[in-house]
């Protein structure tokens, strides 16, 4: 009886030690994977004005009826985040809190302009429901055509000199913030930064 108890305890401790080793190995592997995971950036598409090119000057009508120029050199040197959205786009609505946060955090140098198209009557209830009165809201099919916007939500970052600095599909807060990061680093997209780091790593290994 005593022998069986000792043997069972020994086996139990062996299993506990083995399990602890497995958990330690998994934790280490998770750490390695975390280091290798690339930051999620806005998906830049090869359509419309390219990053580094001058943004076309487009006059769009705001929802209040006033004309607003998008693109071109700004006398105040402020940048513009052109955010394309739609009242029927659920992802657009989910991203609005992040957009407000970004507008507040970057207010020293950035203006956010919301852009869509269609009849004004379809957008006014959306503006009221989502409390978007704080943002300029333009309705212009030519603006979307100019930037060849095929999917929403989509954003274009234009600097004070009227140059496109970053653009892409923005489905998350991280995608949105990656546009600012790309401009700060002087890159077309955050993916360029990732690829550059990978190339440096490969070069160092070679």
């Amino acid at each position: 009886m005593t022998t069986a108890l000792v043997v069972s305890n020994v086996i139990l401790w062996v299993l506990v030690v083995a399990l602890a080793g497995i958990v330690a190995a998994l934790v280490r592997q998770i750490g390695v994977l975390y280091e290798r995971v690339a930051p999620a950036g806005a998906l830049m598409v090869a359509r419309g004005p390219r990053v580094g090119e001058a943004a076309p000057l487009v006059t769009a009508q705001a929802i209040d009826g006033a004309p607003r120029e998008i693109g071109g050199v700004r006398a105040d040197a402020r940048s513009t985040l052109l955010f394309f959205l739609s009242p029927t786009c659920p992802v657009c609505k989910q991203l609005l809190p992040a957009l407000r946060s970004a507008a507040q955090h970057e207010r020293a140098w950035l203006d956010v302009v919301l852009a869509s198209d269609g009849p004004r009557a379809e957008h006014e209830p959306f503006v009221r429901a989502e409390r978007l009165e704080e943002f300029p809201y333009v309705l212009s099919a030519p603006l979307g055509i100019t930037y060849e916007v095929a999917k929403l939500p989509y954003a274009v970052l234009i600097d004070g000199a009227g140059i496109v600095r970053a653009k892409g599909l923005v489905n998350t807060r991280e995608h949105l913030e990656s546009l600012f990061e790309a401009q700060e680093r002087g890159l077309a997209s955050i993916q360029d930064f990732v690829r550059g780091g990978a190339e440096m790593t490969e070069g160092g290994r070679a």
Side-chain angles (χ1 to χ4, degrees):
M1 186 70 176
T2 303
T3 303
L5 182 60
V6 171
V7 171
S8 64
N9 283 336
V10 170
I11 294 174
L12 179 61
W13 276 108
V14 170
L15 292 176
V16 169
V17 172
L19 181 60
I22 293 172
V23 170
L26 288 174
V27 170
R28 182 178 181 279
Q29 189 63 28
I30 290 172
V32 172
L33 289 174
Y34 180 80
E35 291 178 355
R36 291 181 179 178
V37 170
L43 177 60
M44 188 172 65
V45 295
R47 292 193 298 267
R50 295 183 179 181
V51 172
E53 295 181 349
L57 183 60
V58 179
T59 300
Q61 188 177 43
I63 197 170
D64 60 4
R68 186 180 182 93
E69 289 188 344
I70 308 296
V73 179
R74 291 188 52 165
D76 57 8
R78 291 176 63 81
S79 295
T80 301
L81 179 69
L82 189 57
F83 187 84
F84 291 89
L85 77 171
S86 167
T88 59
C89 170
V91 179
C92 299
K93 295 178 182 179
Q94 292 174 5
L95 201 57
L96 288 177
L99 185 66
R100 284 194 177 89
S101 176
Q104 177 68 17
H105 188 263
E106 310 295 341
R107 64 186 182 279
W109 62 277
L110 181 72
D111 292 329
V112 175
V113 176
L114 306 182
S116 193
D117 61 7
R120 185 186 307 177
E122 295 181 359
H123 295 268
E124 290 177 339
F126 174 60
V127 170
R128 290 193 298 269
E130 299 297 335
R131 299 180 181 178
L132 300 176
E133 293 86 355
E134 62 187 292
F135 299 111
Y137 196 116
V138 298
L139 298 175
S140 172
L143 186 61
I145 293 172
T146 297
Y147 288 95
E148 299 188 40
V149 178
K151 294 183 179 181
L152 298 174
Y154 191 87
V156 181
L157 184 59
I158 306 170
D159 69 12
I163 305 299
V164 177
R165 289 304 177 191
K167 64 177 186 176
L169 292 170
V170 285
N171 294 322
T172 65
R173 177 187 292 270
E174 289 74 17
H175 291 170
L176 186 63
E177 293 176 348
S178 74
L179 298 178
F180 308 139
E181 185 73 15
Q183 181 187 25
E184 184 178 342
R185 296 178 181 273
L187 300 170
S189 69
I190 203 67
Q191 284 84 0
D192 286 352
F193 173 73
V194 175
R195 284 194 293 268
E199 290 172 0
M200 292 179 61
T201 301
E202 292 297 328
R205 290 176 180 174

